Amino acid sequence: MMKRFLKILVCLLLALSVTACSRNSNTAPKEKVFIKESEVNDMYSNPDNYKDKYVTFTGQIFTDPEESNDKLALQVYMDPKNAEKNTIVICDKTDLKSNDYVKVTGYIVGTFEGKNAFGGTVTAPQIIAEAIEKISYADAVAPTKHLIEVNQTKNSHGVSVTLEKVELADNQTRVYFKIKNDSKYKYSFYSFNTKIIQNSKQYEEEDDYDADYEELHGEIPSGVEEDGVIVFKAIENKDFKIISEGYSDNYDYDRDDFTFNITVK
C-alpha cells in the first residue's frame, strides 16, 4: 500500500502540461540510427547528446494524454515498476489513455523542460513516435524470455488440474493453470498452496498488484472451469517441479496433492 502511495506521489511531482511547449516536428532524421541498450540510461541524463537518434522502448502512460491539433502528447514511464524514466512522447492521435502500456519507436529531439503541478521544474527526453502500440503489462514490465509449454493434466474425483505453461522472465515467473470441476462438489484450489521447487529451494507465490493477469479464484463450484496465473520470483531456465494441493467439499475424499515435473529442453 505504501509503495502504491509513493508511486502516485511521484506521478503528481512529474505530471506536466506538455502540449504547449512540445516540439511538433515532422522532419525525421535522414538516417535511422538506433541508440544502444547500454546508452539508454545516459540518454535520460543527457537527451541533447542523442538528438536525431532512434530508440525503441516499452513503458506505461501515467497521465491523461494532451491533444494539440492532430497530435497527442504523452508522458510515459520507461520503468513503470519504479515510476522512473519519465519520457515525453509526441504521436498521432490514437485511443491510448492513462495507465496503458505501450511500445514506442521514434527519434529523440532533445530535452523537454516544464513545470509540474507544484511549480517545480522537470526535464525529460522528448521523442517523436513513428510507431506506437498498446501492449500487455507482462510485455512492458516482465517480458517472457523463455516459454515452457507444459500441458500436463492431473485428475482426481471428477476434477482436472492442468498446468498449461510457464513463462520465465528476468524478474518473475508466471504459471498458468486451468481447473475444471466436473464433480458434484465445490472444489478448493488456492494459489498460495502452490510452490515451485528448484535446486533444493522452495519458491512461494509473490504478489504483483500492478499486474493485469487473470486471477485464479480459489473456490470452484461444481460445473465451473477456472483459469488463472500464479506469480513467483524469477527462477533459472533449468528443470524444476511445481507442487499444488486442492480439496473437495466431500470430506470423504483425502486432500489432493499434485506434482508437475518440468523438464527444460
Side-chain angles (χ1 to χ4, degrees):
M1 185 64 71
M2 178 59 70
K3 184 177 179 181
R4 181 167 291 187
F5 170 77
L6 291 174
K7 189 172 180 179
I8 293 171
L9 179 60
V10 170
C11 288
L12 291 173
L13 290 171
L14 292 178
L16 309 168
S17 177
V18 297
T19 51
C21 303
S22 300
R23 169 182 162 185
N24 186 4
S25 172
N26 292 319
T27 305
K30 293 181 180 179
E31 188 178 3
K32 187 172 285 190
V33 178
F34 284 83
I35 67 172
K36 300 175 183 177
E37 187 174 348
S38 60
E39 296 175 313
V40 169
N41 285 335
D42 186 59
M43 186 270 291
Y44 278 92
S45 300
N46 305 286
D48 292 337
N49 291 347
Y50 296 90
K51 281 184 179 179
D52 294 332
K53 296 288 183 67
Y54 277 79
V55 63
T56 295
F57 70 95
T58 61
Q60 183 184 26
I61 302 170
F62 68 91
T63 61
D64 290 328
E66 297 184 37
E67 294 187 20
S68 178
N69 299 321
D70 60 342
K71 299 292 183 181
L72 280 185
L74 312 174
Q75 289 191 78
V76 179
Y77 283 137
M78 187 181 182
D79 181 5
K81 200 71 175 174
N82 297 301
E84 292 179 351
K85 296 182 179 176
N86 182 19
T87 313
I88 307 301
V89 177
I90 309 301
C91 65
D92 294 333
K93 283 188 178 180
T94 73
D95 57 357
L96 293 170
K97 58 186 183 299
S98 181
N99 296 321
D100 283 347
Y101 294 91
V102 292
K103 181 178 180 181
V104 178
T105 296
Y107 56 93
I108 303 158
V109 297
T111 303
F112 173 85
E113 182 175 304
K115 300 287 186 180
N116 63 19
F118 302 99
T121 299
V122 177
T123 62
Q126 184 172 320
I127 293 170
I128 305 297
E130 292 189 348
I132 185 168
E133 62 176 315
K134 184 176 178 179
I135 61 175
S136 69
Y137 169 89
D139 287 337
V141 176
T144 301
K145 293 299 179 70
H146 301 283
L147 171 62
I148 304 168
E149 297 283 1
V150 182
N151 294 315
Q152 293 183 24
T153 300
K154 310 291 184 181
N155 297 284
S156 179
H157 303 295
V159 175
S160 63
V161 176
T162 301
L163 175 56
E164 298 182 308
K165 62 180 179 179
V166 179
E167 294 175 343
L168 305 183
D170 286 340
N171 52 348
Q172 67 179 209
T173 301
R174 295 181 291 271
V175 177
Y176 290 74
F177 273 105
K178 181 193 293 284
I179 296 92
K180 188 176 182 181
N181 185 4
D182 287 330
S183 75
K184 298 179 181 179
Y185 310 99
K186 184 175 72 176
Y187 195 78
S188 296
F189 188 94
Y190 293 104
S191 58
F192 55 76
N193 285 328
T194 294
K195 310 286 191 296
I196 292 178
I197 308 294
Q198 187 182 67
N199 297 331
S200 302
K201 184 176 180 180
Q202 175 176 277
Y203 296 85
E204 297 186 347
E205 178 186 19
E206 295 255 307
D207 292 324
D208 189 347
Y209 296 111
D210 295 323
D212 55 0
Y213 307 141
E214 190 167 3
E215 184 180 354
L216 187 64
H217 296 99
E219 296 186 354
I220 306 168
S222 174
V224 170
E225 185 175 278
E226 183 74 23
D227 297 271
V229 180
I230 307 176
V231 178
F232 299 86
K233 286 184 178 180
I235 64 172
E236 297 179 64
N237 185 33
K238 57 192 299 187
D239 294 357
F240 60 96
K241 64 181 176 181
I242 294 176
I243 299 174
S244 299
E245 65 180 52
Y247 49 91
S248 172
D249 263 14
N250 184 337
Y251 298 111
D252 290 333
Y253 299 153
D254 294 331
R255 184 189 72 190
D256 295 320
D257 294 307
F258 305 107
T259 299
F260 300 88
N261 292 297
I262 314 300
T263 300
V264 177
K265 298 179 181 179

